[in-house]
Amino acid sequence: MSRVLGTCRVLMAAAKDGSKEASTKAVAKGAAKPKGAFHRKLPMSPAMSKFLGVPEITRVDAVKKIWEHIKANQLQIHSGRCFVPVSSR
């Protein structure tokens, strides 16, 4: 919550100054960088890097790409959408 309010305060202060350059600098200075293990790039195993096409990727992006593959190849059972059967496809 403090990241949101902190960025909002920075934008409001820049808006009072009235210049677009000041607000751009304020946003760049006060912009929050993603923290935590989910947003850190991690090395992939050889099989996973071949499947995803990149040697390093964040966990969030890896899951997104896996779900894109599942939906593109219709690997999900339509009656129970949270279940993906294991097959040779």
Side-chain angles (χ1 to χ4, degrees):
M1 190 72 178
S2 64
R3 286 188 299 168
V4 174
L5 293 176
T7 305
C8 185
R9 288 183 187 125
V10 170
L11 291 174
M12 293 302 290
K16 286 181 182 178
D17 292 342
S19 70
K20 288 187 178 184
E21 293 175 4
S23 63
T24 307
K25 289 179 184 177
V27 170
K29 184 179 178 183
K33 294 180 182 178
K35 296 179 183 178
F38 291 113
H39 299 287
R40 183 176 40 204
K41 287 193 174 189
L42 301 170
M44 297 284 120
S45 67
M48 185 63 85
S49 65
K50 182 179 176 184
F51 176 75
L52 296 175
V54 292
E56 289 184 340
I57 194 168
T58 63
R59 292 180 186 186
V60 174
D61 291 336
V63 171
K64 284 180 185 178
K65 286 192 176 200
I66 291 169
W67 273 108
E68 286 174 6
H69 175 76
I70 289 170
K71 290 179 181 180
N73 294 311
Q74 298 177 351
L75 299 175
Q76 202 172 20
I77 293 180
H78 295 291
S79 62
R81 295 189 70 78
C82 62
F83 181 69
V84 178
V86 178
S87 66
S88 60
R89 285 204 267 178

